[in-house]
Amino acid sequence: MARAVNTSRKSLNTAIAATLGLIMFFPVLWILILSFKSEIDAVRSPWQVLTAGWTMESYGAVQERSDYFKHFMNSVTISLGSTFLGLLIAIPAAWAMAFVPAKRTKDVLMWMLSTKMLPPVGVLVPIYLIFRNLGILDTRSGLVIVLMLMNLPIIIWMLYTYFREIPGEILEAARMDGASLREEVLYVLTPMAIPGMASTVLLNIILSWNEAFWTLNLTAAQAAPLTAFIASYSSPEGLFYAKLSAASIMAIAPILIMGWFSQKQLVRGLTFGAVK
């Protein structure tokens, strides 16, 4: 009897989870459907949209109007560059906070995290002026820097959490064997934190890829990523729903595919140290 109740509860939980998953995924599914419709059909009622004919003309129009590959490469460069630069800074910082005793480590971590609570628009004007004066406005390097700074608190927090799970005795043994600080970080600490570092990299690539505020305000044409590519289909003449949907699918498809194939690694890294 207990087993039957347990099975029923599992079935109910599965049904609830599937329903919530469908609700969360439905906007993406509807955008996918609209991308295969004509502009006339895309503004009709939902039933008329579903029964209308399917066409690839929106994808063809998007490809003719915009240089998708250029925007795609900008997104790849900015996402990977900001994540890699963030790791170079975050690994030593997280190591120092995790293994060098300090009274105010948690206060520093909370201060860093509090910077994420500041509305980006509050610092837009000074950052815009700094970038203009330095000549890095509308450049990939400029976006790499600003996205790295934006995600750096998250990178340090995640790495700090993973590093704290590594026994300090292992590092002490490496020091006794004559390992230098550089060798300790590169050959002892980093390999042991690979699952956590992998999830950190994946999460920050996703955050950088989806960032819209800074990419729309600090770029014009040369360094515009896929977020700007999508925004270009909102014009004073109105919204072209079918073309906007096609552009959105082309922009989110790479990151969705990457997230799908790396979901196990992402979940494993995010739950690292949660169960002892």
Side-chain angles (χ1 to χ4, degrees), residues 103-251:
K103 294 182 179 180
R104 297 191 175 275
T105 295
K106 292 185 178 180
D107 294 337
V108 173
L109 286 169
M110 287 304 300
W111 171 78
M112 294 178 60
L113 193 61
S114 68
T115 61
K116 295 291 296 179
M117 305 174 189
L118 175 69
V121 70
V123 293
L124 173 61
V125 173
I127 289 181
Y128 182 91
L129 295 176
I130 291 172
F131 274 43
R132 187 191 64 181
N133 294 335
L134 293 177
I136 57 175
L137 194 63
D138 194 19
T139 62
R140 293 179 179 179
S141 58
L143 283 179
V144 165
I145 293 172
V146 74
L147 293 185
M148 180 274 294
L149 294 174
M150 182 188 69
N151 293 327
L152 190 60
I154 296 177
I155 301 177
I156 294 178
W157 255 96
M158 293 183 68
L159 291 180
Y160 170 79
T161 303
Y162 304 137
F163 289 172
R164 289 288 294 174
E165 297 297 325
I166 298 175
E169 292 78 6
I170 296 178
L171 300 181
E172 292 178 3
R175 293 169 195 159
M176 293 180 64
D177 290 337
S180 64
L181 178 59
R182 175 178 173 275
E183 292 171 341
E184 178 184 331
V185 174
L186 289 180
Y187 302 117
V188 181
L189 181 65
T190 303
M192 296 184 66
I194 285 296
M197 291 179 63
S199 64
T200 302
V201 168
L202 292 172
L203 179 61
N204 281 274
I205 288 176
I206 293 172
L207 291 175
S208 298
W209 188 281
N210 294 332
E211 174 60 33
F213 179 82
W214 293 110
T215 55
L216 292 177
N217 286 285
L218 298 179
T219 62
Q222 297 301 319
L226 287 172
T227 47
F229 169 75
I230 297 174
S232 66
Y233 287 87
S234 175
S235 64
E237 291 80 10
L239 290 175
F240 299 93
Y241 288 104
K243 295 181 180 63
L244 180 60
S245 298
S248 300
I249 293 298
M250 294 171 69

